[in-house]
Amino acid sequence: MPEPWHSALTHLECARCGIRHDASVPQNLCACGSPLLARYDLERVGATVAPADLAERGQDLWRYRELLPVAGRENAITLGEGMTPILPLARYGHGIGVPGLLVKDEGLLPTGSFKARGAAVGVSRARELGIEAITMPTNGNAGAAWAAYAARAGLRSLVVMPEDAPRITRMESALAGARLYVVDGLIGDAGAIAAQAVADGWFSTATLREPYRVEGKKTMGLEIVEQLGWRAPDVIVYPTGGGVGLIGIHKALEELRALGWLTGPAPRLVVVQAAGCAPLVRAFEAGSSTAPPWPDPRTFAYGVNVASTLGDFLVLDAVRSTGGTAVAVADEDILAAQAACAAAEGLVTCPEGAATLAAVARLRESGWLTGEEEVVVLNTGSGLKYPPPAGSPEPPHLAPGATLPD
Ligand SMILES: *Cc1c(COP(=O)(O)O)cnc(C)c1O
Ligand SMILES: [Zn+2]
């Protein structure tokens, strides 16, 4: 007998002005320009399901279906996403003075990044609402993921990415049948071009412009709490571009708290950005509630090369309200952390994931972390998706039959 399926979604709410919007039709932004957030009947969820029931369910993100927007099981498009492992990084953590360091490894997801979570839920809900064609600007991973899920759902996709986006994401998008364009510019330029497709009737699934990508990414927070035995770690460290993942994790923690499934102090949420593109870090340090665009964004951690985001105020609120902080790390520190973690643990993180490791080391040095904490960092993608960084040493070559050097 299939397990029962229901979603407790009731409506959408503007994250800024609080106005209610109808969740039964496609929606983008509120008239005030702010993203919309999905709201659920949490009393109903609490009355129909308990944490222990989840243990019986499939090992994917649809185990949280009551807290997701997809009403019909038949509309849940899946490539097996979710329930990524949380791994101790004891040796690496010890080396930087944070032995309680854990990584949630999102590199194992379909399409090789956590963008699969947002795409699975966003595409599923889009199809459920009758949308047939989606479009987005992307730094690579989102386009690859949405193109893949769109293909599986039978939707058309149109993806625009800057020329610097990792090459493999072009191949992924193209193989999945997306109409793919590469713009000789930055993500903002890609956005302006994707907006033309929206004018032609393609539904915009750009970051935070539709409400359900956050819901997919929210499942990272749900999983962290479930996997740790229905409790939160002391600190969660997240490589932040548009901030969808951090907003989602914060939303997950609030919903779990409202349900009574999570008690105890809230984890402190930490935003990590690259020094070459750190609008949210600068805004955090300036005490500001919004983040003006970063003038000349530059980092090889493409997923966080985002000069401005519609969700700035939500990210900054999540960090401040949990007693967290925001840290910018230089590209060379990201590279060093990536190499050190791979050598110590055998885990090749993506640059964005490595940025969180560099940030943890920095927070330990500054004393913000005492070293006693349990810290979960998000490795948001597989290091295997990225080209070798410039200057990677070439291993010695040997002629066939050569003698092995000492
Ligand atoms: C998109 C992306 C990020 C940033 O994601 P947001 O949730 O939008 O901040 C981080 N890492 C990787 C690998 C990404 O692809
Ligand atoms: Zn509004």
Side-chain angles (χ1 to χ4, degrees):
M1 232 210 24
E3 301 159 25
W5 184 291
H6 76 81
S7 161
L9 178 69
T10 53
H11 63 281
L12 299 169
E13 186 182 279
C14 174
R16 187 177 283 124
C17 76
I19 285 186
R20 238 179 126 100
H21 294 260
D22 184 356
S24 69
V25 294
Q27 298 278 10
N28 290 115
L29 299 179
C30 180
C32 81
S34 159
L36 304 181
L37 296 175
R39 296 298 180 207
Y40 298 85
D41 181 349
L42 295 179
E43 265 176 41
R44 176 162 167 227
V45 175
T48 50
V49 54
D53 302 328
L54 299 184
E56 319 277 302
R57 294 185 175 177
Q59 296 292 315
D60 60 34
L61 58 74
W62 300 104
R63 65 200 279 107
Y64 305 113
R65 59 188 77 113
E66 287 84 357
L67 294 171
L68 292 174
V70 179
R73 178 198 310 271
E74 68 285 2
N75 290 318
I77 305 301
T78 182
L79 288 164
E81 57 290 330
M83 280 316 236
T84 53
I86 295 183
L87 308 168
L89 293 181
R91 188 177 296 122
Y92 179 81
H94 203 80
I96 60 170
V98 185
L101 184 62
L102 302 167
V103 61
K104 184 158 177 64
D105 188 13
E106 299 281 289
L108 296 172
L109 287 168
T111 74
S113 88
F114 81 121
K115 292 293 196 301
R117 295 182 186 270
V121 173
V123 166
S124 296
R125 183 64 177 159
R127 189 174 86 145
E128 186 158 76
L129 296 177
I131 290 163
E132 293 173 352
I134 60 164
T135 186
M136 61 165 47
T138 171
N139 272 332
N141 283 333
W146 284 73
Y149 283 88
R152 194 154 171 88
L155 268 51
R156 286 178 300 133
S157 63
L158 188 156
V159 171
V160 188
M161 59 176 75
E163 55 174 342
D164 277 351
R167 282 265 163 173
I168 195 167
T169 61
R170 293 187 189 181
M171 183 189 82
E172 293 177 87
S173 306
L175 282 177
R179 251 172 82 178
L180 172 65
Y181 297 96
V182 173
V183 57
D184 299 333
L186 296 174
I187 180 81
D189 305 303
I193 291 176
Q196 298 172 35
V198 174
D200 287 343
W202 298 71
F203 182 70
S204 175
T205 55
T207 304
L208 292 167
R209 280 181 191 270
E210 61 74 55
Y212 302 115
R213 190 200 287 212
V214 175
E215 296 306 294
K217 291 192 175 182
K218 178 178 88 176
T219 60
M220 285 187 287
L222 300 175
E223 287 180 17
I224 289 171
V225 170
E226 183 179 3
Q227 288 172 309
L228 294 181
W230 297 103
R231 61 174 187 83
D234 298 306
V235 179
I236 298 176
V237 186
Y238 185 77
T240 309
V244 187
L246 191 95
I247 295 165
I249 289 171
H250 187 228
K251 189 168 186 287
L253 296 167
E254 290 193 326
E255 288 173 2
L256 290 175
R257 202 169 280 284
L259 278 165
W261 294 3
L262 174 65
T263 52
R268 291 178 275 161
L269 300 181
V270 177
V271 158
V272 179
Q273 297 198 293
C277 180
L280 294 162
V281 177
R282 191 175 58 182
F284 176 79
E285 288 171 351
S288 148
S289 60
T290 56
W294 189 264
D296 181 22
R298 234 179 255 273
T299 168
F300 81 118
Y302 302 107
V304 295
N305 200 21
V306 181
S308 71
T309 171
L310 283 170
D312 53 357
F313 68 105
L314 293 171
V315 172
L316 290 162
D317 173 65
V319 171
R320 292 202 177 101
S321 66
T322 60
T325 188
V327 187
V329 290
D331 277 9
E332 59 264 29
D333 295 338
I334 296 177
L335 269 181
Q338 187 187 40
C341 175
E345 304 285 356
L347 176 67
V348 180
T349 62
C350 61
E352 297 83 353
T356 64
L357 298 171
V360 169
R362 175 89 70 73
L363 291 171
R364 179 68 191 91
E365 281 160 25
S366 74
W368 194 85
L369 289 172
T370 64
E372 305 288 302
E373 299 87 350
E374 185 177 48
V375 178
V376 173
V377 303
L378 276 300
N379 178 42
T380 41
S382 167
L384 308 184
K385 293 195 76 172
Y386 295 73
S392 299
E394 181 72 12
H397 289 226
L398 301 178
T403 309
L404 185 66
D406 290 335

